[in-house]
């Protein structure tokens, strides 16, 4: 008897829907018009022009009824708000870091920390710097160096912890440069730039030992710490029966502090913090905070936002939520893999990353295969995604560690926002583009911004569509 093909099912949602927001799908002609106006950069689109928005999982979560109720508890006192106390005690309880400094989002936390610790001429190692982290290291006059394990750059390797730091390279860096050239080390959990891949506790422990032996502090970029903990629970020997919060504490115990964008695993639309064990540093961070963000009991946020973060941080660490969350990512990945579409493996925590280099092997890197694919996914189905490759990081090498950037397209899944049917629609859109991939051309960058160029660059097709549009001097 022939075996029935195994059905690919979306995960069961651990919630029901209380509020809905209408979305609309423009027709093809309007999408084409929008693309031209946007200079083929999807950051320039109006959200009204997007049907399914997988640009980012950052600040795009649906808040729970408990979070919305918490917002009503806003105590908008300038100093000493009760919401700050709840926020501070929650972060302390989850991380064990005694000093908690609220910021309006993750990059503000990076700004404060790196402007104080990273000095001109120094080096900041990381598994892989996220784009804003890298920008803040450079802005401080220091050099960001990426030290991820070699498997991190191999889309086919099924290494369970592709976010891990290459310890031999870390050793060499510390030995050759000397600790005085390395003011701090960072590790990003999960490694967003490298496909949302987790870092193991074993690796973090080894990094922590080395960095501390050199007398330097270790800071975590903990945006997706709960997703990282979930993947540790699944994959790392000895951790399978533990709670997410227990695993979290084991992680944080190895570090001296962290920066966090609460827009990720904090399940809020805005917010972040920097936390540390270093009391003297905390004092200096607060002085900077007052100049750039606000008083230390609100840090650039409405106090009600801090209350929503406090509730969201706990919800984001709920095992049933994470099972559904990562289940959605795997559901989309399974639908694509069934069609033979090349994706970065194993599937990480917050999205599916298409391997654009193999999706469009006929488009050379100089013509931005990732960006070309992003454009086609929008053209095909109104799906907005983001390039994580030669546009975002093409100007980063070799200073970021020498390895060539991966050429990826990230389909980031907002938390608690889209249904299984939405994800199936996305899979159908990617499949339709996959089937006509040989007809897809590259793009060139016609406006090149000096830094964080993916946000504002403009592009044009390499081969203009025929017939060319009427213009000056043309019939
Ligand atoms: C989003 C993100 C940041 C920056 O946070 P913002 O809230 O967007 O400023 C830093 N690091 C990582 C890994 C991120 O994903």
């Amino acid at each position: 008897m022939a075996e029935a093909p195994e059905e690919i099912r979306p995960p069961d949602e651990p919630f029901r829907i209380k509020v809905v927001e209408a979305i609309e799908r423009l027709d093809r002609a309007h999408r084409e018009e929008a693309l031209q106006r946007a200079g083929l950069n999807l950051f320039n689109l109006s959200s009204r022009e997007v049907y399914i928005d997988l640009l980012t999982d950052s600040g795009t979560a649906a808040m729970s009824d408990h979070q919305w109720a918490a917002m009503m508890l806003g105590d908008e006192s300038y100093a000493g708000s009760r919401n700050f106390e709840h926020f501070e005690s929650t972060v302390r309880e989850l991380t064990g870091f005694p000093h908690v400094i609220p910021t309006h989002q993750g990059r503000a936390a990076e700004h404060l920390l790196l402007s104080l610790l990273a000095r001109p001429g120094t080096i900041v190692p990381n598994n892989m710097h996220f784009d804003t982290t890298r920008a803040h290291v450079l802005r401080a006059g220091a050099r960001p160096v990426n030290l991820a394990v070699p498997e991190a750059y191999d889309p086919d390797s099924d290494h369970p912890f592709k976010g891990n730091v290459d310890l031999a390279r870390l050793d060499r860096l510390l030995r050759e440069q000397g600790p005085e050239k390395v003011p701090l080390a960072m590790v990003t959990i999960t490694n967003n730039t490298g496909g949302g891949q987790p870092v193991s506790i074993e690796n973090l422990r080894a990094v922590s030992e080395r960095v501390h032996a050199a007398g330097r502090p270790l800071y975590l970029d903990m945006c997706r710490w709960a997703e990282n903990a979930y993947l540790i629970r699944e994959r790392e020997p000895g951790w399978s029966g533990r709670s997410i919060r227990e695993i979290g504490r084991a992680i944080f115990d190895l570090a001296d502090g962290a920066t966090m964008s609460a827009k990720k695993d904090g399940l809020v639309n805005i917010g972040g913090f920097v936390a540390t064990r270093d009391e003297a540093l905390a004092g200096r961070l607060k002085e900077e905070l007052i100049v750039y963000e606000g008083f230390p009991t609100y840090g650039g946020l409405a106090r009600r936002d801090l209350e929503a973060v406090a509730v969201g941080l706990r919800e984001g660490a709920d095992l049933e939520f994470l099972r559904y969350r990562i289940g959605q990512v795997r559901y989309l990945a399974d639908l694509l893999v069934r069609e033979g579409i090349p994706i970065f493996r194993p599937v990480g925590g917050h999205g599916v990353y298409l391997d654009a280099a193999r999706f469009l092997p006929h488009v050379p890197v100089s013509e931005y295969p990732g960006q070309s694919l992003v454009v086609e996914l929008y053209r095909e189905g109104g799906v907005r995604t983001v390039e994580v490759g030669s546009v975002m990081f093409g100007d980063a090498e070799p200073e970021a560690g020498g390895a060539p950037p991966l050429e990826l397209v990230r389909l980031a899944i907002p938390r608690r926002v889209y249904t299984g049917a939405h994800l199936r629609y996305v899979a159908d859109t990617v499949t339709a583009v996959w089937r006509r991939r040989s007809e897809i051309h590259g793009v060139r960058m016609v406006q090149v911004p000096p830094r964080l160029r993916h946000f504002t660059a403009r592009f044009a097709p390499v081969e203009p569509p025929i017939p060319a549009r009427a213009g000056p001097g043309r019939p």
Side-chain angles (χ1 to χ4, degrees), residues 58 105-108 110 130 132-133 188 190 192 221 223-224 261 263-264 271:
S58 177
Q105 60 183 81
R107 71 198 66 186
E110 293 168 352
F130 181 66
T132 57
T133 324
T188 306
T190 59
N192 184 2
D221 178 339
C223 293
R224 296 181 182 79
S261 169
K263 297 162 69 179
K264 282 61 174 253

Side-chain angles (χ1 to χ4, degrees), residues 88-305:
E88 182 188 47
S89 65
T90 303
V91 176
R92 279 181 177 160
E93 188 187 314
L94 288 176
T95 65
F97 300 134
H99 307 286
V100 183
I101 291 141
T103 60
H104 76 277
Q105 60 183 81
R107 71 198 66 186
E110 293 168 352
H111 170 211
L112 298 176
L113 184 73
L114 291 165
S115 66
L116 289 179
L117 293 187
R119 303 256 65 98
T122 62
I123 293 171
V124 180
N126 202 324
N127 47 352
M128 279 192 210
H129 287 86
F130 181 66
D131 60 354
T132 57
T133 324
R134 175 175 166 264
H136 278 296
V137 171
L138 288 170
R139 200 164 176 274
R143 191 153 65 89
V145 172
N146 292 343
L147 296 180
V149 289
E151 289 87 347
Y153 296 94
D154 175 2
D156 276 336
S157 157
D158 274 322
H159 192 296
F161 293 103
K162 285 170 116 173
N164 280 0
V165 173
D166 185 330
L167 299 171
R169 288 179 65 206
L170 177 62
D171 281 337
R172 197 172 336 126
L173 180 91
L174 291 169
R175 192 173 60 238
E176 286 173 5
Q177 301 292 335
E180 49 300 332
K181 281 287 275 283
V182 183
L184 77 162
M186 296 188 74
V187 178
T188 306
I189 57 170
T190 59
N191 179 9
N192 184 2
T193 306
Q197 301 294 323
V199 181
S200 71
I201 291 194
E202 185 188 20
N203 185 256
L204 276 170
R205 189 172 294 124
V207 170
S208 169
E209 279 164 15
R210 284 162 167 79
V211 173
H212 290 137
R216 292 300 168 197
L218 172 64
Y219 279 81
L220 300 173
D221 178 339
M222 60 173 278
C223 293
R224 296 181 182 79
W225 73 273
E227 291 170 3
N228 200 106
Y230 182 84
L231 295 169
I232 285 174
R233 189 175 187 277
E234 269 191 348
R235 299 179 188 169
E236 187 160 357
W239 293 97
S240 66
R242 309 292 191 89
S243 74
I244 296 301
R245 287 173 56 171
E246 253 181 297
I247 298 170
R249 273 309 280 270
I251 293 172
F252 299 123
D253 283 350
L254 297 168
D256 300 277
T259 56
M260 181 166 185
S261 169
K263 297 162 69 179
K264 282 61 174 253
D265 282 357
L267 292 171
V268 290
N269 305 119
I270 197 73
F273 58 84
V274 48
T276 181
R277 298 188 200 283
D278 182 337
E279 188 172 358
L281 178 68
R284 293 167 65 212
L285 286 167
K286 284 179 194 168
E287 285 166 25
E288 291 294 299
L289 184 79
I290 290 170
V291 177
Y292 286 102
E293 294 276 292
F295 193 72
T297 58
Y298 72 86
L301 291 165
R303 273 56 72 194
R304 56 180 173 270
D305 291 329

Side-chain angles (χ1 to χ4, degrees), residues 390-409:
S390 47
V391 175
M392 192 180 275
F393 293 104
D395 58 346
E397 309 301 338
E399 122 260 304
L406 293 160
E407 192 68 20
L408 305 175
V409 167

